[in-house]
Structures are given as structure tokens and as C-alpha cells.
Amino acid sequence: MSGKAAPGPTGNGTSKPRLDRGRGALGPALELVHTGRAPTRAVLTSELGVTRATAGAVAAELEALGLISVDAHPGAAAGSQGRPSHRLEVAENGPVALAAQVHADGFRAALVGLGGRIVATAPGCEAVDADPAKVLGSVVEAGADLLRTTGLRCVGAGLAVPSAVAEPDGLALNPLHLAWPVGAPVRRIFAECVRAAGITGPAFAGNDVNLAALAEHRHGAGRGARDLLCVATGHRGVGGALVLDGRLHTGSSGLALEVGHLAVNPEGRPCHCGSRGCLDVEADPLALLIEAGREPGPEVSLLRQAEDLIRDHYADPTVRRATEALIDRLGLGLAGLVNILNPDRIILGGLHRTLLDADPERLRAVVADRSLWGQSGSVPILPCTLSHNSLVGAAELAWQPVLDDPLAALR
Ligand SMILES: [Zn+2]
């Protein structure tokens, strides 16, 4: 047993000052507003299970910290029943997190506020240097420019990379589609770039699909799911993530859910991992272009080319057959994951979202045919809904200390 007694529910009979009583509720309250689950002070009160006075003090403190705004003169919505309540919103010019993403076709920086709101983005860049320090230096500099232009306070920085990130050291273990050295210490390099740019606050790094799943769970298609499975293509390759009870399941050393190397075609193409027929090479944008007999062009990203092909040429039998082949392989992979993980929702991103849009019945039928649970009650399969969900997820990493303890993080 730990020596610290668990805090009991605070009653009304104590003589403690309001804020002292409510301090432990600041983080949970901020998370409720951040994830859109407490649009009013009345909802906040009931979600926290505290008195109206405590909820009022908590909301006032979060407002004083510049994180949320509480409307001073609540009006009842037309036709609504009961007493009007103060609306709670993320503060208009509140602090932001610096979010950075590197992928096979470039990199991008953005400022992301609470609520997963992208406040500003720098133009994407299309060349990724083989030296991670150069790329990360450039993307952080782009973010620092945004901070200077907007004058907003920064709580910290988060980076999304198309590689498993091994913990506890933050190493990019398999940057297969970048020319980066295997095991590059991306978190340390990123943190050094952030410090060198004069940005205060902690720096974090994570796998891009993990971060996309986290963002979708908090702000998008994954809201409310308890066992959320996310499978997505980046610009190259395929990744997966699992969010259990609101937390990313990353395994013992950060490497869980490397679904890209699930074999879905035993006679398929050789994969960079040494195996053959992995989802990574059988169900990504390049695989679609090859399957459809199209020569990949250099002008736009492979992801754009593949998405455009399905959107603009689906009537072409060759494109249709290629799309169906990818849907079948993706379905086979998802079925295996459903059997192992028993998720209550699956969300698909990148090209997989486009495959779902193209023929949802076919994809759902493959998953149902091949999975135990699919036979009885099918798992909902939905498209991701956020634009730039990996960037938003990278920002979530930087927001986490503030969500855990707003007073300590912002003091
Ligand atoms: Zn592989």
C-alpha cells in the first residue's frame, strides 16, 4: 500500500478555501472542455460530480490561467428547458502547442490550441534530408516563426514520425520510408532543436499513426470508443494503433501495433522488413498505383496520386479491380486484428479511408467473413474525420502535462 491516502470526495462542510478544494479537479475539468464533453458549467458540474460552487471556482481558475472562457451572461437557447448555464469554451487566444510532422513526402509545422484546433500552419515542405537534425531543425524553425508571428504562448512541442518510436529513449526504430539512420534518437534531437529555437516547455515524439489515433479518440471519429483500433496509411506504408480507455497502448517498449508487417498475401511482394506480402507493401498508396498499372509520378505525393486515381477513375475497370484487391487485403488484415484485439470500433485513415469510401460493403463483408466476432455482431468501421490528425496528436503529447496538472504546468 502506498503511504498516501486516496483523496475522498470533498463534502460541503469543510472550511477549506474553494480553490484548494477544487485544485484536483482542474485537470479533469480541462480535459472535459478540451474534448468537448463539457460545453456548459452545468454539464461540468455533473461530469465532475462536485458542487456548483466548486465547478464555478474550477472554471474561473481555468479562465484565469487563460485556458478557457466562461460566458458571463448565459442566455437560454430558444426552446430549451430549465435554467440557462454558462457556456464553456476553449480560450480564443489561449496558449498553443507546437506540432511537427515528418513523412515520406515532406514535413509540416503547426500551432495547435486546446480542443485540437489548428491555429496556424506553415507551408509544407517536400524534401526530407537524410540527416534528421537538419529536417527537425527546419520544421522547428518553421514552428518558431509561427509563434513569433502570432505572439501566442507555447506549452511545449510534439513530433510525429513515420516510424515506431522505441521507449524509453525515443529512438526512431524503423524509419523505412525516410533515409534516416535506423535508431535515430529523434526525441533528443527534436528537444535540442526546440531549445535552440528559444521555445520553452517539454518536447515529445511519437509514431504518426499512434498520434493520429489519439487525436481521433479525443476530437474525431474515435470519441467514446473504449477499445479503439486505428489503421492507416501514411504517405508510404501502413500503421496501426490501439487506444484503450483513452490511453494509447504502446506495449512494453513503445512498439505495439506494428500492423504494417502483418502478412496478408503469402505470395506477395517482398517487404523491407525481410518478410513478404505485408500490409505495408500490399495496401499502401504505392501498392494501389502498381496494382492499377500506373506509373507513380513525381509531381504530387503518392498518397494524393492514389486517392485521385480512385476518386477520378473508379469507373475504369482496371482501377476498380486494383481498388478491390486492396480492399480485400486490408479486410484480411483487419479481420486478423479483430480476432486478436476485439475492438469496439475501427477507424481508417489515409488511403484506407478512401478504400472504405469506395466500397464500404465489400470491406465490411471481408472483415465479417474472416473474423469470429464479425459473424455475430460486426465491429463499426468508420473513416477518420480530422484533417492533419497526426499533427493534432503530436500536439496532444505536449498538452498532456497541462491536462494532468494545469497549475503546475503553466506556473
Ligand atoms: Zn513487412
Side-chain angles (χ1 to χ4, degrees):
M1 243 184 92
S2 89
K4 223 170 28 177
T10 27
N12 294 325
T14 63
S15 57
K16 280 182 177 178
R18 273 177 172 186
L19 193 58
D20 201 22
R21 273 215 313 265
R23 178 166 178 182
L26 282 175
L30 183 60
E31 186 164 331
L32 286 165
V33 178
H34 175 56
T35 53
R37 287 177 293 156
T40 66
R41 217 170 67 183
V43 178
L44 182 70
T45 305
S46 79
E47 286 287 324
L48 290 175
V50 297
T51 63
R52 273 175 56 204
T54 300
V58 164
E61 181 64 26
L62 291 175
E63 189 173 38
L65 286 168
L67 295 169
I68 71 168
S69 65
V70 185
D71 73 348
H73 306 289
S80 72
Q81 304 276 315
R83 193 208 303 249
S85 181
H86 299 267
R87 290 202 66 77
L88 305 178
E89 278 169 2
V90 166
E92 189 63 34
N93 288 308
V96 290
L98 192 166
Q101 183 180 10
V102 179
H103 53 71
D105 293 314
F107 57 84
R108 182 183 283 276
L111 304 182
V112 185
L114 282 170
R117 194 167 57 97
I118 296 182
V119 174
T121 49
C125 178
E126 284 166 10
V128 177
D129 198 274
D131 178 359
K134 275 196 187 153
V135 183
L136 299 182
S138 303
V139 74
V140 167
E141 200 39 60
D145 275 345
L146 292 175
L147 286 169
R148 278 189 287 272
T149 316
T150 59
L152 294 170
R153 178 178 182 183
C154 183
V155 297
L159 167 70
V161 290
S163 163
V165 176
E167 298 299 344
D169 298 321
L171 312 177
L173 205 67
N174 58 344
L176 293 174
H177 304 291
L178 305 176
W180 289 2
V182 168
V186 286
R187 189 170 58 218
R188 180 175 58 73
I189 298 171
F190 182 60
E192 285 167 3
C193 294
V194 166
R195 265 197 304 279
I199 298 164
T200 52
F204 303 88
N207 168 264
D208 52 4
V209 177
N210 274 351
L211 297 179
L214 187 61
E216 292 285 344
H217 186 271
R218 291 184 177 176
H219 310 293
R223 275 163 84 162
R226 246 195 60 191
D227 294 81
L228 177 70
L229 172 66
C230 175
V231 175
T233 63
H235 287 238
R236 294 285 304 277
V238 172
L242 189 64
V243 183
L244 298 176
D245 284 326
R247 296 271 160 193
L248 266 175
H249 173 75
T250 52
S252 59
S253 55
L255 307 180
L257 276 292
E258 275 295 300
V259 306
H261 302 284
L262 205 62
V264 291
N265 184 3
E267 306 304 316
R269 297 179 190 83
C271 180
H272 354 261
C273 73
S275 181
R276 181 176 282 280
C278 299
L279 263 184
D280 215 62
V281 288
E282 297 286 340
D284 85 335
L286 183 61
L288 180 82
L289 295 171
I290 293 172
E291 195 74 28
R294 304 294 166 115
E295 195 66 43
E299 54 292 334
V300 293
S301 74
L302 292 172
L303 178 61
R304 263 285 293 285
Q305 292 176 54
E307 287 177 336
D308 289 351
L309 188 63
I310 294 177
R311 201 187 50 233
D312 302 336
H313 302 280
Y314 197 58
D316 176 339
T318 318
V319 174
R320 197 183 173 111
R321 270 197 302 276
T323 306
E324 288 173 352
L326 258 76
I327 288 174
D328 292 350
R329 294 174 200 159
L330 173 63
L332 197 55
L334 292 179
L337 291 166
V338 166
N339 288 341
I340 295 167
L341 302 169
N342 189 18
D344 64 348
R345 192 180 308 172
I346 299 172
I347 56 172
L348 301 178
L351 182 65
H352 294 168
R353 175 169 64 175
T354 313
L355 294 175
L356 175 67
D357 288 344
D359 196 341
E361 286 74 31
R362 187 181 183 98
L363 181 63
R364 290 186 179 119
V366 179
V367 177
D369 277 357
R370 300 288 192 135
S371 64
L372 301 172
W373 284 274
Q375 302 284 1
S376 45
S378 64
V379 189
I381 305 177
L382 305 172
C384 287
T385 54
L386 301 176
S387 332
H388 304 299
N389 50 16
S390 294
L391 269 176
V392 174
E396 291 297 326
L397 294 181
W399 274 114
Q400 195 58 53
V402 181
L403 295 169
D404 290 341
D405 190 344
L407 271 179
L410 295 179
R411 196 168 266 160

